Amino acid sequence: MTQARIRYGPDGEYRLVGFELPNRVAPGEHAEAVLYWRLEADQPPQTSYKVFLHVSSTLDDAERIASVDEIPLNWALPTSCWMPGVLLRDAHPFDVDANARTGTWLALLGLYNEQTGERAKVFEAQRAIAGAVENASKSARRSTLPIALRLISDCRKRWKCGAAAGIF
C-alpha cells in the first residue's frame, strides 16, 4: 500500500490513507485500484458519497479510457454507514479501453454526492505524476486527484502485482 494523506468531504472527514494502483496497464486489460479509507468524524455522516475513478489524458477528464463509479466496498457499504476510525479496504476493478493509445494517463479520484451529483471537496491534497510527488495547497478545493498511469501497447510488459504509482 502506498500511503496518502488526502481528505475529502465538507469538513475533510473522509481520509484516503493509502492506495494500490498499477503503474502500467495495456489496452483491453482488466486492472484494479484499491483504496484505503478512514472516517475521521465523531459519528457516521448523513450524506452518502460514491467513489469515482476516471483514467483520462488530462485533468479536465476530456479523453477517458476507463471509468469506475460506485458505492464503496463493491456496492456494500455506503459512506453514510461508515463507522469513525475503522480502516476500510475498497477495491475498484476497471477495464482499459481496447482502443486506448499508449502514453501517460491520469487516474482522477474523488467522491461525489449520489443524490445531487456534487463532488466532495478535497483538503490537504497531494498529487503524483510518474511517482514524483507535488504538494498542493493545504486548503485545496479540487474535486479530483490525479495519479499517473502509463499505458503500454505491448502485452508482454504488463504491470506486476503490487506495483503502484505514489501519492505520498
Side-chain angles (χ1 to χ4, degrees), residues 36 39 44 65 142:
Y36 295 89
L39 177 65
I65 60 166
R142 303 173 114 175

Side-chain angles (χ1 to χ4, degrees), residues 113-153:
N113 182 316
E114 65 180 319
Q115 300 299 317
T116 67
E118 182 181 1
R119 289 186 175 179
K121 294 176 184 173
V122 181
F123 297 83
E124 295 182 12
Q126 290 180 314
R127 68 177 181 172
I129 304 298
V133 175
E134 177 182 322
N135 287 319
S137 168
K138 287 194 174 200
S139 61
R141 299 289 178 156
R142 303 173 114 175
S143 59
T144 59
L145 175 73
I147 303 167
L149 294 174
R150 182 168 177 225
L151 190 71
I152 57 173
S153 59

Side-chain angles (χ1 to χ4, degrees), residues 7-14 49 111 119-123 141:
R7 296 182 306 131
Y8 294 88
D11 298 313
E13 60 270 36
Y14 300 96
Y49 289 96
L111 298 173
R119 289 186 175 179
K121 294 176 184 173
V122 181
F123 297 83
R141 299 289 178 156

Side-chain angles (χ1 to χ4, degrees), residues 48-110:
S48 182
Y49 289 96
K50 281 187 172 179
V51 173
F52 70 86
L53 175 71
H54 300 162
V55 180
S56 181
S57 60
T58 60
L59 287 174
D60 65 6
D61 202 13
E63 181 184 6
R64 194 180 300 169
I65 60 166
S67 182
V68 171
D69 180 35
E70 57 196 22
I71 293 173
L73 282 83
N74 196 28
W75 295 87
L77 193 63
T79 59
S80 58
C81 296
W82 290 9
M83 298 305 295
V86 176
L87 182 65
L88 302 170
R89 183 184 185 277
D90 183 24
H92 295 277
F94 62 93
D95 294 313
V96 178
D97 187 318
N99 297 315
R101 63 178 170 77
T102 59
T104 299
W105 294 81
L106 301 174
L108 306 174
L109 169 65

